[in-house]
Amino acid sequence: MKTLSLLALGLIGLTCSVQAQWRGADEPDWKEGDVPAPPAFSTERLIPFEVSVHSELRYGLVPDTLSVGTDGVVRYVVVAQSRSGAVNVSYEGVRCRTSEMKTYARWAPNRLPVPTPFSASDGEWRTTVQADWVGLREQPVARPAWVLARTALCEGATVNGTSQRMLRDLRLGRPRD
């Protein structure tokens, strides 16, 4: 029994060590670059993607907002809409190297109901105070970013090439493992 306990503790220690390395411990000098202001957007050309067959929300990425920073962070605007017309718009970033995401800002409409289509000028951005990096598999709020990372933004732990390639892969909708 004591042997099993020691083995379990050893496995827990190994798991924590691997997670620390995955979280960027091997890049102690990495710093996020200056984050551009939330971009203007329009929902006219959203590229839809499915987060779950059971989700009542429809998700879409605003293609003109997709960019890769010199720090390796892929930033974009994502829109979630319910059948009743409720809308959530977020300015987010994914760091493929560590499999994490961050929400930089949320958009709030000036009036309800939100027109269809709508654009950034129909509301205002509200910057997220002290936004933290969150593991893509740790929080339900990160699920859309996880789907985007798997489907288009990342190729394993690296950025999936250019914005054009990411948009092509998102349109094809084939997750990579």
Side-chain angles (χ1 to χ4, degrees):
M1 188 64 146
K2 189 174 186 178
T3 305
L4 283 176
S5 296
L6 290 174
L7 181 59
L9 285 173
L11 287 174
I12 290 170
L14 179 63
T15 301
C16 292
S17 172
V18 168
Q19 282 183 330
Q21 286 179 348
W22 183 246
R23 291 302 181 134
D26 58 335
E27 288 184 288
D29 295 334
W30 181 84
K31 289 193 183 351
E32 185 171 17
D34 291 334
V35 177
F41 70 89
S42 171
T43 61
E44 286 186 66
R45 295 185 13 198
L46 281 179
I47 300 174
F49 64 96
E50 186 175 277
V51 171
S52 167
V53 293
H54 305 292
S55 176
E56 294 191 19
L57 298 176
R58 293 183 321 258
Y59 291 87
L61 180 118
V62 180
D64 299 339
T65 64
L66 183 62
S67 68
V68 181
T70 56
D71 54 6
V73 177
V74 182
R75 295 181 180 89
Y76 55 88
V77 170
V78 66
V79 177
Q81 294 178 295
S82 72
R83 290 188 181 122
S84 67
V87 174
N88 288 310
V89 181
S90 300
Y91 176 42
E92 301 177 348
V94 166
R95 187 164 181 235
C96 299
R97 176 88 171 134
T98 57
S99 194
E100 294 175 300
M101 66 84 62
K102 181 188 275 192
T103 300
Y104 299 106
R106 297 188 186 285
W107 179 86
N110 290 334
R111 62 188 165 96
L112 294 173
V114 177
T116 303
F118 62 93
S119 66
S121 63
D122 292 314
E124 64 182 351
W125 284 109
R126 295 184 181 156
T127 305
T128 305
V129 179
Q130 294 183 330
D132 293 321
W133 290 102
V134 176
L136 290 175
R137 294 183 182 205
E138 292 176 9
Q139 301 288 329
V141 72
R143 180 105 172 122
W146 179 74
V147 170
L148 286 171
R150 271 185 78 223
T151 306
L153 307 183
C154 304
E155 182 67 49
T158 61
V159 173
N160 184 27
T162 65
S163 296
Q164 290 78 17
R165 179 177 174 171
M166 291 178 214
L167 292 171
R168 180 202 68 200
D169 288 356
L170 183 59
R171 285 182 181 103
L172 292 173
R174 287 183 249 155
R176 293 181 301 279
D177 288 324

